[in-house]
């Protein structure tokens, strides 16, 4: 018997990017209840950029963090309710609210070279009894030694687990495996992986992460998420079950959630098109896509050119405002 793999579903957080953050609390509760019944261990919810993310800069969600968390916490019987917090977007006050209304887990997400900005959030979460996970985003933008250095910082703050996250869907299986193995050996903590599918490698990269020692992996129903989406959860469960891993997730039930519950609420099928492929190739943050599409239409320039230029400039999450500047500059060059 192979080991147990913890499954975190982010349909109701990363998937919010694909619907312009417009899931209602009722839709979230409906999907979350079915995910819980299917046996998913942890369910992450909220505006795509985490608690505190509903804003002009990142896009307004249909409801407040409080409304989403209250609605979902009422229907969960076994799954742990999880929120994402990006320091500078979400605050400790936001985390207090999330915890008050039922969040049990917080993933503190920082750029791969900036774990120190999450220190106070990790420590505060631990002080109020939450599970606190360090979440290193855009891990393709740092070499292995640098990622290990930052992971050790999260470990020193008391993180319960550490994620090596491929926010741009830009890494290959060998690159993922090297990062996971090194962080696992350096910290001794449970290690997680969050994949994006911009190069069509989300499932392959997730398997590579598990084989390299990852204990926790993410997925979304139908792969719904930023860019070309995430590892497609029902596919991932089928593959892991076939390989003999224990996930606790019922394969038929998760298939039903994806096809019967999530699909009716999707705006469009989650596919790898020329623009989402460009995200993976250029190595830019997945949530840039909708912003780039709007700027492309406004300034009459190719979306791919915007994304490629953002990649050349090594932009990171939180620099969405630069997309307008880049699109304007490209339009003048035309």
């Amino acid at each position: 018997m192979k080991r147990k793999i913890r499954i975190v579903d982010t349909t109701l957080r990363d998937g919010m990017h694909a619907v312009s953050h417009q899931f209602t609390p009722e839709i979230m509760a409906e999907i979350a209840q079915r995910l819980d019944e299917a046996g998913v261990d942890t369910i992450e919810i909220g505006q795509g950029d985490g608690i505190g993310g509903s804003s002009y800069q990142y896009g307004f969600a249909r409801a407040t963090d409080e409304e989403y968390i209250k609605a979902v916490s009422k229907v969960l019987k076994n799954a742990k309710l999880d929120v994402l917090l990006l320091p500078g977007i979400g605050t400790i006050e936001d985390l207090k609210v999330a915890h008050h209304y039922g969040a049990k887990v917080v993933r503190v997400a920082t750029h791969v070279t900036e774990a120190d900005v999450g220190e106070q959030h990790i420590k505060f979460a631990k002080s109020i009894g939450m599970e606190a996970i360090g979440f290193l985003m855009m891990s393709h933008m740092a070499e292995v030694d640098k990622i290990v250095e930052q992971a050790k910082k999260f470990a020193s703050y008391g993180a319960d687990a550490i994620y090596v996250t491929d926010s741009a869907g830009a890494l290959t299986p060998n690159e993922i495996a090297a990062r996971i193995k090194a962080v696992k050996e350096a910290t001794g903590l449970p290690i997680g992986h969050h994949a994006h599918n911009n190069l069509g490698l989300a499932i392959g990269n997730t398997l590579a992460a598990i084989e390299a020692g990852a204990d926790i992996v993410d997925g979304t129903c139908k792969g719904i998420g930023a860019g070309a989406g995430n590892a497609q959860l029902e596919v991932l469960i089928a593959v892991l079950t076939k390989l003999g891993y224990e996930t606790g997730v019922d394969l038929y039930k998760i298939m039903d959630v994806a096809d019967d519950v999530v699909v009716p609420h999707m705006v469009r099928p989650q596919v790898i098109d020329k623009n989402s492929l460009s995200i993976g190739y250029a190595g830019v943050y997945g949530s840039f896509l909708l912003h780039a599409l709007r700027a492309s239409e406004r300034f009459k320039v190719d979306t791919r050119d915007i994304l490629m230029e953002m990649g050349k400039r090594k932009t990171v999450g939180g620099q969405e405002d630069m997309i307008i500047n880049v699109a304007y500059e490209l339009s003048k060059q035309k």
Side-chain angles (χ1 to χ4, degrees), residues 13 28 80 160 167 175 181 191 251 271 319 333:
R13 198 277 304 166
M28 278 207 178
K80 293 177 279 290
D160 295 292
S167 314
E175 292 171 320
K181 184 173 185 292
I191 306 302
L251 178 57
V271 298
Q319 294 182 305
Q333 291 173 17

Side-chain angles (χ1 to χ4, degrees), residues 121-177:
H121 308 85
I122 293 283
K123 289 181 175 178
F124 178 77
K126 295 297 296 177
S127 75
I128 59 174
M130 296 183 75
E131 180 182 3
I133 296 173
F135 200 81
L136 293 171
M137 300 189 296
M138 302 291 280
S139 60
H140 71 285
M141 296 183 72
E143 297 300 322
V144 172
D145 289 349
K146 186 67 174 179
I147 296 172
V148 167
E149 171 195 285
Q150 298 299 305
K152 285 181 175 179
K153 288 184 179 182
F154 268 139
S156 73
Y157 307 151
D160 295 292
I162 298 168
Y163 259 71
V164 177
T165 303
D166 187 12
S167 314
L171 290 169
T172 60
N174 287 342
E175 292 171 320
I176 290 292

Side-chain angles (χ1 to χ4, degrees), residues 308-320:
M308 292 297 181
E309 184 61 28
M310 294 293 284
K312 289 176 185 176
R313 298 187 186 192
K314 299 188 182 300
T315 53
V316 299
Q319 294 182 305
E320 284 83 353

Side-chain angles (χ1 to χ4, degrees), residues 69 95-103 128:
I69 295 167
L95 187 54
K96 288 178 181 177
V97 171
H99 177 252
H100 177 75
Y101 288 107
I128 59 174

